[in-house]
Tab-separated table of all heavy atoms in Angstrom:
chain	number	residue	atom	x	y	z
A	29	SER	N	11.113	28.450	-2.131
A	29	SER	CA	12.037	28.990	-1.368
A	29	SER	C	11.652	30.396	-1.013
A	29	SER	O	11.838	30.921	0.117
A	29	SER	CB	13.428	29.111	-2.058
A	29	SER	OG	14.069	27.841	-2.169
A	36	MET	N	9.905	32.819	7.313
A	36	MET	CA	10.972	32.966	8.301
A	36	MET	C	11.274	34.265	8.572
A	36	MET	O	12.154	34.499	9.577
A	36	MET	CB	12.160	32.242	7.673
A	36	MET	CG	12.043	30.696	7.469
A	36	MET	SD	13.497	29.988	6.549
A	36	MET	CE	14.842	30.681	7.409
A	46	PHE	N	17.231	16.175	12.626
A	46	PHE	CA	17.355	14.975	12.045
A	46	PHE	C	17.436	13.869	13.084
A	46	PHE	O	17.615	14.208	14.336
A	46	PHE	CB	18.333	14.790	10.855
A	46	PHE	CG	19.708	15.157	11.445
A	46	PHE	CD1	20.663	14.122	11.527
A	46	PHE	CD2	20.131	16.393	11.704
A	46	PHE	CE1	21.926	14.332	11.925
A	46	PHE	CE2	21.443	16.605	12.016
A	46	PHE	CZ	22.308	15.582	12.148
A	51	GLY	N	17.484	7.053	16.960
A	51	GLY	CA	16.243	7.809	17.038
A	51	GLY	C	16.366	9.112	17.864
A	51	GLY	O	15.477	9.887	17.996
A	67	ALA	N	19.100	24.706	0.703
A	67	ALA	CA	17.998	23.836	0.232
A	67	ALA	C	18.462	23.251	-1.182
A	67	ALA	O	17.946	22.092	-1.402
A	67	ALA	CB	16.651	24.746	-0.065
A	73	PHE	N	28.126	18.447	7.656
A	73	PHE	CA	28.239	18.116	9.113
A	73	PHE	C	29.045	16.902	9.223
A	73	PHE	O	29.330	16.090	8.157
A	73	PHE	CB	26.984	17.987	9.839
A	73	PHE	CG	26.074	16.742	9.337
A	73	PHE	CD1	26.142	15.576	10.262
A	73	PHE	CD2	25.422	16.762	8.217
A	73	PHE	CE1	25.405	14.449	9.884
A	73	PHE	CE2	24.528	15.530	7.896
A	73	PHE	CZ	24.646	14.417	8.716
A	76	SER	N	30.375	11.105	11.198
A	76	SER	CA	31.050	10.066	12.055
A	76	SER	C	30.619	10.316	13.469
A	76	SER	O	30.844	9.517	14.379
A	76	SER	CB	32.465	10.071	11.893
A	76	SER	OG	33.074	11.246	12.333
A	92	MET	N	20.011	18.508	4.246
A	92	MET	CA	19.245	19.352	3.350
A	92	MET	C	17.891	19.439	3.985
A	92	MET	O	17.312	18.488	4.363
A	92	MET	CB	19.143	18.860	2.023
A	92	MET	CG	20.457	18.650	1.226
A	92	MET	SD	20.474	18.195	-0.548
A	92	MET	CE	19.695	19.670	-1.204
A	95	LEU	N	11.669	21.542	2.678
A	95	LEU	CA	11.095	22.850	2.691
A	95	LEU	C	9.645	22.781	3.243
A	95	LEU	O	9.117	23.557	3.993
A	95	LEU	CB	11.095	23.514	1.378
A	95	LEU	CG	12.603	23.920	0.823
A	95	LEU	CD1	12.432	24.662	-0.444
A	95	LEU	CD2	13.268	24.641	1.930
A	144	ARG	N	-1.605	3.218	-0.437
A	144	ARG	CA	-1.223	4.397	0.263
A	144	ARG	C	-1.635	4.244	1.819
A	144	ARG	O	-2.592	3.542	2.055
A	144	ARG	CB	-1.806	5.825	-0.309
A	144	ARG	CG	-1.297	5.932	-1.797
A	144	ARG	CD	-2.019	7.058	-2.496
A	144	ARG	NE	-1.495	7.260	-3.784
A	144	ARG	CZ	-2.219	7.951	-4.729
A	144	ARG	NH1	-3.354	8.449	-4.523
A	144	ARG	NH2	-1.738	7.966	-5.851
A	149	PRO	N	0.601	8.136	15.182
A	149	PRO	CA	1.119	7.643	16.443
A	149	PRO	C	0.512	8.379	17.617
A	149	PRO	O	0.095	9.480	17.566
A	149	PRO	CB	2.589	8.146	16.278
A	149	PRO	CG	2.812	8.526	14.873
A	149	PRO	CD	1.480	8.926	14.309
A	167	THR	N	5.760	14.742	39.198
A	167	THR	CA	5.063	16.108	39.239
A	167	THR	C	3.646	15.883	39.590
A	167	THR	O	2.916	16.967	39.902
A	167	THR	CB	5.104	16.775	37.845
A	167	THR	OG1	4.709	15.959	36.875
A	167	THR	CG2	6.601	17.145	37.527
A	168	ASP	N	3.101	14.719	39.857
A	168	ASP	CA	1.741	14.620	40.254
A	168	ASP	C	1.501	13.004	40.656
A	168	ASP	O	2.360	12.239	40.557
A	168	ASP	CB	0.651	14.879	39.186
A	168	ASP	CG	0.783	13.932	37.999
A	168	ASP	OD1	0.504	12.690	38.012
A	168	ASP	OD2	1.300	14.442	36.842
A	188	ILE	N	2.321	22.537	24.894
A	188	ILE	CA	2.782	21.850	23.806
A	188	ILE	C	1.668	21.801	22.679
A	188	ILE	O	2.021	21.972	21.435
A	188	ILE	CB	2.989	20.352	24.295
A	188	ILE	CG1	4.330	20.405	25.209
A	188	ILE	CG2	3.390	19.541	22.962
A	188	ILE	CD1	4.450	19.045	25.873
A	254	ASN	N	6.593	-1.758	38.496
A	254	ASN	CA	5.225	-1.733	38.901
A	254	ASN	C	4.425	-0.692	38.420
A	254	ASN	O	3.337	-0.467	38.937
A	254	ASN	CB	5.124	-2.103	40.333
A	254	ASN	CG	5.918	-3.115	40.844
A	254	ASN	OD1	5.795	-4.314	40.183
A	254	ASN	ND2	6.649	-3.062	41.948
A	265	SER	N	-3.858	2.953	8.500
A	265	SER	CA	-4.896	2.494	7.543
A	265	SER	C	-4.323	2.488	6.216
A	265	SER	O	-3.294	3.084	5.941
A	265	SER	CB	-6.190	3.357	7.597
A	265	SER	OG	-5.819	4.739	7.131
A	294	GLY	N	1.623	-10.824	7.980
A	294	GLY	CA	2.969	-10.373	7.818
A	294	GLY	C	3.622	-9.778	9.058
A	294	GLY	O	4.835	-10.039	9.382
A	329	GLY	N	-5.944	-8.995	17.800
A	329	GLY	CA	-7.305	-9.282	18.221
A	329	GLY	C	-8.186	-7.987	18.118
A	329	GLY	O	-7.762	-6.809	18.286
A	351	GLU	N	-3.767	-1.257	14.839
A	351	GLU	CA	-2.917	-0.486	15.820
A	351	GLU	C	-1.871	-1.418	16.315
A	351	GLU	O	-2.131	-2.505	16.817
A	351	GLU	CB	-3.848	-0.028	17.021
A	351	GLU	CG	-3.100	0.651	18.188
A	351	GLU	CD	-3.877	0.840	19.495
A	351	GLU	OE1	-5.043	0.418	19.519
A	351	GLU	OE2	-3.350	1.376	20.398
A	372	GLY	N	3.759	-5.720	6.880
A	372	GLY	CA	2.344	-6.009	6.260
A	372	GLY	C	2.361	-6.258	4.692
A	372	GLY	O	1.722	-7.163	4.227
A	406	PRO	N	10.214	-10.984	22.141
A	406	PRO	CA	11.492	-11.219	22.836
A	406	PRO	C	11.357	-10.676	24.240
A	406	PRO	O	10.816	-9.471	24.441
A	406	PRO	CB	12.580	-10.402	21.982
A	406	PRO	CG	11.959	-10.631	20.582
A	406	PRO	CD	10.532	-10.501	20.771
A	443	GLU	N	25.966	-5.449	25.488
A	443	GLU	CA	27.246	-5.907	26.037
A	443	GLU	C	27.447	-4.999	27.318
A	443	GLU	O	27.937	-5.378	28.300
A	443	GLU	CB	28.273	-5.967	25.165
A	443	GLU	CG	29.457	-6.717	25.661
A	443	GLU	CD	29.434	-8.248	26.016
A	443	GLU	OE1	28.217	-8.707	25.599
A	443	GLU	OE2	30.275	-8.685	26.663
Side-chain angles (χ1 to χ4, degrees):
S29 296
M36 295 169 54
F46 60 105
F73 73 99
S76 67
M92 299 186 73
L95 296 184
R144 294 170 183 163
T167 53
D168 65 68
I188 293 167
N254 304 316
S265 63
E351 178 190 359
E443 189 65 11

